[in-house]
Amino acid sequence: MKNLQDAIELKLVGRVPKQAGDPDINIKLENSNSEFQQYVFKSHVKAYVDAGLLKLNVMEKVKIALTPDCKDLFSVLGSEQAKDVGLKQAQYYLSNPGFAVDQVKEAYDHWDEITQMASDYCVKQQNAPQPSGCEPQTNCIPCDAAEVLSKIITVTLNIFK
């Protein structure tokens, strides 16, 4: 959390290098929800990695992955963020194969608990207010645990392609 806050504050006050050809990036960030959201999502990867995410146990990673709202988790920016973190995790696994094996074993040993956590997440998301534009009869948020796990596994597998 502190790394995320620091990244945002430093960028807004101009202590982070501005993007080439865009001298007013900080003003744009403060005045544009879209630009601010893009910067925030992109700053998460470094903040997570610097905080030690790659070295956490699987169950901690599952808890973190199931914290954001579905609309953020499965958005374009959320998917890009997950892919970037996943690539860094894959690099870490390649450098630390014993740790990678331990992570697979932990996931296997806790699969029922992981599935239950995903199911609970889906129930929580179903009971959350629906995003604007949803029809009352439709469910705009992925609410099936199998679907959520399938998306997470698909993103993970795509990283290794």
Side-chain angles (χ1 to χ4, degrees):
M1 295 282 287
K2 182 176 179 341
N3 288 358
L4 296 173
Q5 186 67 34
D6 288 348
I8 293 166
E9 287 181 13
L10 292 174
K11 183 73 170 183
L12 290 175
V13 298
R15 292 188 188 150
V16 174
K18 296 177 181 175
Q19 295 175 4
D22 196 357
D24 298 322
I25 188 70
N26 296 344
I27 293 169
K28 280 181 163 181
L29 280 177
E30 288 188 275
N31 296 322
S32 169
N33 286 341
S34 172
E35 299 235 3
F36 183 75
Q37 184 182 36
Q38 286 180 10
Y39 175 75
V40 169
F41 267 86
K42 289 181 181 179
S43 71
H44 279 58
V45 175
K46 181 176 179 351
Y48 292 156
V49 170
D50 289 351
L53 176 73
L54 305 180
K55 298 175 184 176
L56 293 177
N57 69 50
V58 168
M59 296 307 292
E60 290 169 331
K61 290 175 189 172
V62 171
K63 289 175 188 172
I64 291 168
L66 297 177
T67 298
D69 289 339
C70 273
K71 63 183 171 56
D72 294 327
L73 185 61
F74 297 117
S75 69
V76 171
L77 290 172
S79 295
E80 287 173 7
Q81 183 185 86
K83 180 179 178 185
D84 291 345
V85 170
L87 287 170
K88 294 203 178 289
Q89 184 70 73
Q91 291 167 346
Y92 187 79
Y93 286 156
L94 289 172
S95 300
N96 300 278
F99 179 75
V101 169
D102 290 345
Q103 295 260 289
V104 170
K105 183 179 181 322
E106 183 186 358
Y108 179 80
D109 290 345
H110 293 276
W111 189 250
D112 290 342
E113 185 179 352
I114 292 168
T115 304
Q116 184 61 54
M117 290 168 69
S119 179
D120 293 345
Y121 172 80
C122 293
V123 169
K124 178 182 169 190
Q125 293 299 312
Q126 274 185 317
N127 294 327
Q130 296 292 310
S132 62
C134 289
E135 308 253 340
Q137 296 83 9
T138 64
N139 187 356
C140 296
I141 296 174
C143 64
D144 175 42
E147 183 177 353
V148 170
L149 287 172
S150 172
K151 286 185 179 191
I152 291 170
I153 291 167
T154 299
V155 167
T156 304
L157 292 175
N158 285 336
I159 290 165
F160 290 100
K161 285 187 177 178

